[in-house]
Amino acid sequence: MAEPSSAPTGPTPEVLTAVESDFTSALDHARGNGEALQRLRSEYFGPKGRLTGLLRSVGQLPPAERRDAGQNTNKLKQKLEAGLTEAIEAQEQAAREAELKSGRLDMSLDGRLNRPQGAFHPVTRVIREMTDIFARMGFSVATGPEVETDGYNFEALNFPPDHPARDMQDTFFVRPPDARAIKALVLRTHTSPVQIRSMRAQGAPIRVISPGRVYRCDEDRTHSPMFHQIEGLWVDEGISLAHLKGVLTSFVTALFGERGMRLRPSFFPFVEPGVEVDIQCVFCGGSGCRVCKHTGWMEILGAGMVHPAVLENCNIDPERYTGFAWGLGADRIAMLRWQIDDLAHLFRSDVRFLGQL
Ligand code: DAH
């Protein structure tokens, strides 16, 4: 069988010129139209495309013609493809710009991964707020250890060993590393030992507050084995119960707004006289409700004039100096502040609860 003379569809220079001019006018029509451009791509360069077919037909040419025909066809293919790619890129770029201009793409929208935003814990918030209030009245901040000696936690605060006043605070005792060197260690039951530490370190006059964690062997809806207190202490010449009342009135007003406050006599071994401070119920405003047990009042802190024996324990002359001190539960303040009915919510770290505050 004779070899076919050059097939009419083969890549002769005439055919290539014709393909190029067809392509160029098709490209001009398709420009700016994404779908038309893709159609053009498959019409010319897809598996059944015209240029693909021409390249395939090179193999059927007489051997002498194959080289030139192959090179010419490839060159044309590259040229046309480059033109097409350029047109596609221009079209995509224009489409992106049009979308931005149309305003349908809102660049200010949150991302899909909308992470919940963290916040300070309510107890941290009230401690910071209270610290700010007292800082404005000239108090500085002191801290002390949470594992405390019996001496600082009780004895120097005028709780003698085996005194029944110790029963007010259910204590976690810690086994001391060396029982001969340290008599007894406790998880501090209150922040009051920081009074002793501060007075011994600084002497009088002194004005400090001390926020921190304290521990008691106690647990129910309003008690937790770990909780937070803020201690306050002001010792100077001529300090009286009137100063105590003035400072605490400013504090209560700053925290809860204008409301009634009263002092009731009470007992703490490290003060004389000792008082408990009540404020008008933050839930009912004083008319009486379930939370205040229909009294209209709620207790917020213990306070008193620093006992002369405590001043002496700290080498401060009780004839010259007097002072007052108070201690309050920060968790309880947070509960009043946000009307939380169960203390345990504060320690569960449930974001559904924390997010409501
Ligand atoms: N430390 C006492 C307690 O935890 C509270 C207290 C009462 C502190 C009277 C004081 C104070 O500084 O003067 O129950």
Side-chain angles (χ1 to χ4, degrees):
M1 209 196 246
E3 281 217 334
S5 57
S6 58
T9 52
T12 59
E14 296 75 35
V15 169
L16 291 182
T17 309
V19 167
E20 178 169 7
S21 94
D22 284 355
F23 177 86
T24 308
S25 71
L27 181 59
D28 281 341
H29 271 102
R31 239 177 249 290
N33 178 341
E35 275 174 35
L37 288 168
Q38 292 306 333
R39 226 177 297 124
L40 197 57
R41 188 207 290 276
S42 76
E43 275 169 23
Y44 280 80
F45 309 105
K48 292 181 185 155
R50 284 180 78 177
L51 270 154
T52 317
L54 284 175
L55 276 172
R56 220 176 274 136
S57 68
V58 170
Q60 276 135 44
L61 293 177
E65 293 170 28
R66 278 184 205 161
R67 209 178 92 146
D68 281 355
Q71 275 178 359
N72 291 340
T73 312
N74 258 323
K75 231 184 267 165
L76 181 66
K77 181 179 181 235
Q78 279 166 15
K79 182 176 167 194
L80 302 189
E81 253 183 341
L84 179 62
T85 303
E86 205 173 286
I88 288 175
E89 280 170 5
Q91 185 273 326
E92 286 173 349
Q93 172 75 17
R96 263 196 302 277
E97 270 164 27
E99 186 167 28
L100 282 175
K101 277 208 197 95
S102 76
R104 269 192 300 134
L105 185 63
D106 183 352
M107 303 292 276
S108 70
L109 273 184
D110 281 349
R112 292 267 159 74
L113 228 177
N114 195 357
R115 287 174 208 277
Q117 177 111 64
F120 285 114
H121 190 277
V123 173
T124 305
R125 275 163 69 180
V126 295
I127 287 177
R128 290 187 174 204
E129 236 174 89
M130 289 191 276
T131 304
D132 282 349
I133 293 170
F134 287 114
R136 287 201 290 276
M137 294 191 244
F139 287 81
S140 53
V141 175
T143 54
E146 291 172 26
V147 181
E148 190 51 285
T149 64
D150 183 278
Y152 279 110
N153 196 78
F154 291 122
E155 262 178 69
L157 286 162
N158 210 27
F159 290 82
D162 303 320
H163 191 279
R166 291 190 176 215
D167 292 346
M168 297 196 306
Q169 305 187 353
D170 296 316
T171 313
F172 287 111
F173 287 94
V174 179
R175 186 170 297 138
D178 179 351
R180 278 161 309 177
I182 310 167
K183 269 193 297 188
L185 286 178
V186 295
L187 294 186
R188 67 178 180 187
T189 56
H190 51 180
T191 42
S192 303
V194 186
Q195 285 186 32
I196 305 295
R197 290 179 174 277
S198 306
M199 283 191 282
R200 286 190 182 166
Q202 212 180 304
I206 186 170
R207 215 186 304 181
V208 287
I209 60 165
S210 179
R213 274 189 280 275
V214 301
Y215 303 84
R216 289 190 203 175
C217 195
D218 220 353
E219 190 161 23
D220 60 35
R221 278 177 84 79
T222 53
H223 295 89
S224 124
M226 187 281 292
F227 60 106
H228 302 80
Q229 286 190 337
I230 294 196
E231 193 77 13
L233 172 74
W234 187 346
V235 177
D236 203 341
E237 291 179 36
I239 295 289
S240 73
L241 200 65
H243 294 101
L244 180 159
K245 199 170 174 187
V247 165
L248 293 181
T249 303
S250 307
F251 163 69
V252 165
T253 309
L255 202 60
F256 293 108
E258 207 71 52
R259 68 182 55 241
M261 184 182 103
R262 69 179 186 188
L263 309 189
R264 274 182 297 107
S266 184
F267 173 76
F268 303 95
F270 39 95
V271 285
E272 180 57 39
V275 295
E276 271 170 330
V277 176
D278 296 343
I279 58 169
Q280 252 163 358
C281 177
V282 300
F283 294 89
C284 65
S287 57
C289 67
R290 197 178 53 82
V291 185
C292 62
K293 302 199 180 84
H294 303 284
T295 63
W297 296 94
M298 36 197 13
E299 184 203 320
I300 59 159
L301 58 88
M305 299 304 294
V306 181
H307 198 290
V310 172
L311 294 175
E312 268 170 7
N313 284 339
C314 302
N315 306 312
I316 292 175
D317 178 4
E319 296 298 324
R320 179 168 171 203
Y321 290 104
T322 50
F324 66 89
W326 75 90
L328 62 80
D331 317 79
R332 206 172 134 65
I333 300 290
M335 286 176 79
L336 297 180
R337 185 63 187 280
W338 287 289
Q339 318 206 336
I340 300 162
D341 59 357
D342 187 347
L343 182 65
H345 283 310
L346 292 176
F347 303 120
R348 268 190 210 126
S349 299
D350 185 335
V351 286
R352 289 171 304 178
F353 161 75
L354 295 170
Q356 289 171 32
L357 302 179

